[in-house]
Amino acid sequence: MGRMPCCEKVGLKKGPWTPEEDKKLVAYVEEHGPGNWRSVPAKAGLERCGKSCRLRWINYLKPDIKRGNFSMEEDHTIIQLHALLGNKWSIIAAHLPNRTDNEIKNYWNTNIKKRLIRMGLDPITHKPIKSNSFEAYDEFKDTTNMGHVAQWESARLEAEARGSILQVGSGSSNLPRLNLSKIPTQPCSSSYSISNEHMTAYNMYALVLATNYDLQSSVSTLSVPKLPEVCTIIGKFANAESLLSYKNDDNVVEISSQIQKVVEGSVSNLQDDDIMMAVEAFRTAKCESIQELFNESAVEKV
DNA sequence: AAATTCCACAACCGCTTTTCT
DNA sequence: GAGAAAAGCGGTTGTGGAATT
C-alpha cells in the first residue's frame, strides 16, 4: 500500500499553524475546492505536507465547523452513541452536525471519560467498576468476547431510566429520534464467542432499529442511516448471524443471502423498492429471532 | 511574581480503506 | 486485477494557556 510521506521525512514544517498559513490554505481551497491534497502545499505556497493541509482544513478551517462548548444534548448523544458503538468517532460525528470526529474524540477523552470515572463507571464498558476480585474475574470473563455488551446495556438502562426516549442530534427537527427502548437486548450468553467486529455490526443494526428508519418512504426525513448504509450494516450483520446458527430459519437465510448479494454488488438490477422490501423483511425476521435468543440467554443467566 | 502542574485541544503518526490508473 | 495514490480513521503526543502552589 502506498503511503503519504510524513512531514519529517521530506523536511516540511510541523507544529501549530500560523494565521498566514491558514489564510493561504483557505484562499486555495476557496478557489480550487478541497481534494488532491498532495499538490495543495506547492500550489498554495505552503511548506506543509498534503496530509497536514487536509487535517487543518477538515478539523479547523472548514467554514461550517461548529466550535465552542458542547450542548447538553450533544453531550448526551455522544455518551449514548459511544455506549452503542465504542470509539467510532467518525460515525458518532455523523450524528452531530458540524462537529468533527477529532473534536468529539478530544471532548470524550478530556471531559466525558473523566466524568464516567468519577461516577465509578468504566469509560470503556460503561459498567460500574468493581473492586471485588471475583466480580472482577466474572467481568473479565464476560467482556473478553462481548466487548460492547456492557456498553450497550448501560446505555439502554440509562435510556429507560430517563423515560425511554432520547433525542439524537443537537435539537434539529430533521434529525432522527433515537428510541432506545425499541432496541432488543443483546445476546449475553457466554457460550457465544463474538468478535468485536460482529458486536459492532450488531450495535449498528440496533441503531438502525432505534432510529425508526422508515424503509417504505422514498424520501425519508431521517438523515441517518441512509439506505446504502442500512444495506451494508445488515449485510455485515447477516454474516454475524450465520455464526450465531440461525441457519435453520429458511426465511432469514433467503433474505439474508439476497441482501448479501446486493451488498456485495453481485446483484445490480434490483430496484430500490426491492431492496427496501428485503431489508424490511429481514429486519422483521431478525427482530423476532434475536428476541428468542435473548430470552434463552436470560433464562440461562437466572 | 515566579515556578509548577493541570487541562484542553490542535496536530501528528501509522495504519486501513477506498479510489484511481 | 494489481499497484499506487489519496483519503479516512483512531490513538497518541505536543503545545499553550489557566489554575494552583
Side-chain angles (χ1 to χ4, degrees):
Chain A
M1 286 294 194
R3 213 163 65 208
M4 279 188 218
C6 73
C7 305
E8 196 174 24
K9 284 177 187 164
V10 290
L12 295 174
K13 190 180 173 188
K14 289 169 71 176
W17 280 63
T18 64
E20 287 72 29
E21 287 177 311
D22 283 346
K23 273 184 194 171
K24 285 181 181 175
L25 183 55
V26 169
Y28 175 85
V29 174
E30 280 177 352
E31 192 178 339
H32 300 95
N36 197 13
W37 292 103
R38 191 186 180 83
S39 63
V40 167
K43 291 177 180 172
L46 290 162
E47 292 179 350
R48 296 270 183 178
C49 65
K51 196 172 180 176
S52 179
C53 293
R54 178 184 157 269
L55 277 175
R56 182 64 178 170
W57 173 259
I58 288 173
N59 289 331
Y60 199 86
L61 298 175
K62 240 169 94 177
D64 57 351
I65 289 176
K66 186 176 172 184
R67 313 192 67 79
N69 294 341
F70 282 74
S71 69
M72 290 280 286
E73 286 179 359
E74 287 175 317
D75 185 271
H76 199 173
T77 299
I78 293 168
I79 294 170
Q80 296 295 325
L81 292 177
H82 185 271
L84 275 170
L85 303 166
N87 295 356
K88 300 290 175 187
W89 305 118
S90 61
I91 299 173
I92 294 171
H95 290 75
L96 294 166
N98 306 330
R99 295 286 191 184
T100 68
D101 53 357
N102 204 39
E103 200 177 8
I104 292 167
K105 181 173 62 182
N106 283 332
Y107 182 63
W108 174 268
N109 285 327
T110 59
N111 190 309
I112 301 177
K113 197 172 166 182
K114 288 173 186 171
R115 214 189 311 154
L116 288 178
I117 291 168
R118 275 202 305 273
M119 289 163 66
L121 298 171
D122 185 316
I124 298 169
T125 64
H126 293 226
K127 240 183 172 180
I129 298 163
K130 289 166 185 164
S131 54
N132 181 294
S133 60
F134 290 105
E135 287 177 338
Y137 169 72
D138 283 338
E139 184 167 343
F140 168 77
K141 204 172 59 177
D142 284 343
T143 55
T144 300
N145 296 319
M146 314 292 287
H148 284 83
V149 172
Q151 293 177 358
W152 158 258
E153 190 64 12
S154 175
R156 194 179 62 80
L157 290 172
E158 189 190 349
E160 284 176 359
R162 293 180 188 222
S164 298
I165 295 175
L166 293 156
Q167 290 287 336
V168 168
S170 55
S172 174
S173 60
N174 59 1
L175 284 168
R177 177 180 287 268
L178 186 63
N179 188 344
L180 293 172
S181 66
K182 282 203 156 195
I183 308 174
T185 313
Q186 277 192 333
C188 52
S189 164
S190 57
S191 63
Y192 293 107
S193 176
I194 306 171
S195 70
N196 280 344
E197 184 188 355
H198 289 144
M199 262 305 145
T200 302
Y202 174 84
N203 288 329
M204 294 184 74
Y205 166 74
L207 193 60
V208 172
L209 295 183
T211 54
N212 291 320
Y213 189 73
D214 183 3
L215 294 158
Q216 302 303 320
S217 168
S218 57
V219 185
S220 173
T221 56
L222 304 177
S223 60
V224 285
K226 304 273 192 300
L227 183 60
E229 292 167 355
V230 174
C231 289
T232 304
I233 291 162
I234 295 180
K236 281 183 180 175
F237 186 64
N239 284 334
E241 287 300 288
S242 66
L243 292 176
L244 291 174
S245 304
Y246 279 119
K247 291 170 185 168
N248 294 334
D249 188 334
D250 290 341
N251 185 38
V252 168
V253 168
E254 169 55 30
I255 299 166
S256 166
S257 69
Q258 196 178 342
I259 292 173
Q260 198 63 36
K261 285 174 186 170
V262 173
V263 171
E264 288 165 356
S266 57
V267 174
S268 57
N269 59 343
L270 279 177
Q271 300 301 309
D272 276 359
D273 286 350
D274 296 328
I275 299 169
M276 286 181 184
M277 281 177 64
V279 172
E280 178 68 305
F282 182 82
R283 186 176 72 158
T284 307
K286 281 293 103 163
C287 233
E288 289 164 4
S289 300
I290 290 166
Q291 199 56 58
E292 285 169 20
L293 174 64
F294 302 151
N295 292 342
E296 286 171 16
S297 300
V299 171
E300 281 178 25
K301 278 237 161 183
V302 174

